Amino acid sequence: MFSPSMLGGDFSRAAEALEAISSSGAEYAHFDVMDGSFVPEISFGAKFISDLRPYSKVIFDVHLMINRPEDHIERFAAAGANMISVHAESTNHLWRVLNLIKECGADCSVAINPGTPVSFIEPVLPIVDYVLVMTVNPGWGGQRFIPQCLDKIKELDSRRQDEGYSYLIEADGGIGRSNAKTLFDAGLDIAVMGSAFFAEDDKASFLREIEESL
Ligand code: DX5
Ligand code: ZN
């Protein structure tokens, strides 16, 4: 499955970018929220998401790259997020914030930076709906994939088989034609793609081509 990232689109024509995602056949649309503190850049807040919500029925996948995410969950859920990812490195209250996401009616996801091992999130693996493995340093689109992160996808895949966990595995950053198959073969369920997706004229055939290669 695919979650094209709005960050790769043109914000001055955001509804068209979202339409390009919906009509490509992707199951998800990925929204990168940055606060200028957890990551250096600032992107957008809940209003951007609620303004776009009526334009698409795809699953809104909201990736919070913000400190103290527990202070903002209600707002993003009310804006129309269907799933919300919080970084394990961004809060002292990971267990609480993941449960808060569920209480607000969204699916919960825990994200880890390239330097954070899977063992760091081990206690929450039984309760999460998704694990988001960052395959670049969060904060910018268009970066190069960090190959060492592939092992975390394999590790998460074997852990869920061994323990019977039900989370889906998502990867984010530097994904495109050259490495998508390797990631899916390693156990990935959802590929986030920003620059690679928006660089394509025919986005539907691009996604289909990757799917058919699997
Ligand atoms: C990076 C963001 C990504 C970004 C990916 O911090 O979390 O979602 O949009 O962009 P690409 O696919 O260009 O690496
Ligand atoms: Zn992201």
Side-chain angles (χ1 to χ4, degrees), residues 5 7 30 32 63 65 134 138-142 172-174 192-195:
S5 171
L7 196 64
H30 187 84
D32 288 302
H63 176 196
M65 286 167 273
M134 287 308 300
W140 302 271
D172 183 6
V192 176
M193 288 192 291
S195 42

Side-chain angles (χ1 to χ4, degrees), residues 3-8 30-34 39 63 65 87 132 134-145 171-176 192-197:
S3 189
S5 171
M6 288 291 292
L7 196 64
H30 187 84
F31 290 84
D32 288 302
V33 179
M34 308 181 192
V39 291
H63 176 196
M65 286 167 273
H87 271 267
L132 174 57
M134 287 308 300
T135 42
V136 298
N137 291 304
W140 302 271
Q143 301 180 76
R144 195 175 305 182
F145 177 78
D172 183 6
I175 303 174
V192 176
M193 288 192 291
S195 42
F197 177 84

Side-chain angles (χ1 to χ4, degrees), residues 1 13 21 42 87-88 92 118 123 150-151 169 184 198 214:
M1 293 183 282
R13 290 156 49 198
I21 293 174
I42 298 176
H87 271 267
N92 290 326
V118 168
L150 184 64
D151 284 344
I169 306 168
F184 283 116
F198 280 98
L214 303 179

Side-chain angles (χ1 to χ4, degrees), residues 23-175:
S23 60
S24 72
E27 295 82 355
Y28 298 79
H30 187 84
F31 290 84
D32 288 302
V33 179
M34 308 181 192
D35 67 350
S37 170
F38 181 70
V39 291
E41 291 293 327
I42 298 176
S43 58
F44 50 77
K47 183 176 188 296
F48 184 73
I49 292 164
S50 61
D51 285 357
L52 287 166
R53 185 67 273 193
Y55 292 90
S56 177
K57 289 192 166 62
V58 296
I59 300 167
F60 272 26
D61 158 17
V62 175
H63 176 196
L64 297 182
M65 286 167 273
I66 65 175
N67 280 319
R68 298 185 57 87
E70 56 272 17
D71 296 346
H72 301 274
I73 299 305
E74 281 99 340
R75 229 169 270 129
F76 283 100
N82 302 106
M83 63 179 273
I84 300 179
S85 297
V86 292
H87 271 267
E89 308 87 356
S90 70
T91 176
N92 290 326
H93 303 289
L94 188 57
W95 187 276
R96 173 153 70 85
V97 69
L98 290 168
N99 281 292
L100 179 59
I101 294 169
K102 293 193 201 192
E103 282 161 26
C104 290
D107 286 339
C108 71
S109 164
V110 62
I112 47 173
N113 282 337
T116 303
V118 168
S119 59
F120 189 67
I121 54 166
E122 202 174 316
V124 301
L125 290 180
I127 65 161
V128 291
D129 300 301
Y130 298 85
V131 178
L132 174 57
V133 177
M134 287 308 300
T135 42
V136 298
N137 291 304
W140 302 271
Q143 301 180 76
R144 195 175 305 182
F145 177 78
I146 300 173
Q148 287 82 354
C149 299
L150 184 64
D151 284 344
K152 289 197 248 183
I153 295 169
K154 293 181 184 159
E155 189 180 342
L156 284 161
D157 186 42
S158 71
R159 278 206 70 92
R160 72 179 160 182
Q161 290 178 33
D162 293 348
E163 309 288 340
Y165 297 149
S166 57
Y167 53 77
L168 295 179
I169 306 168
E170 182 176 31
D172 183 6
I175 303 174

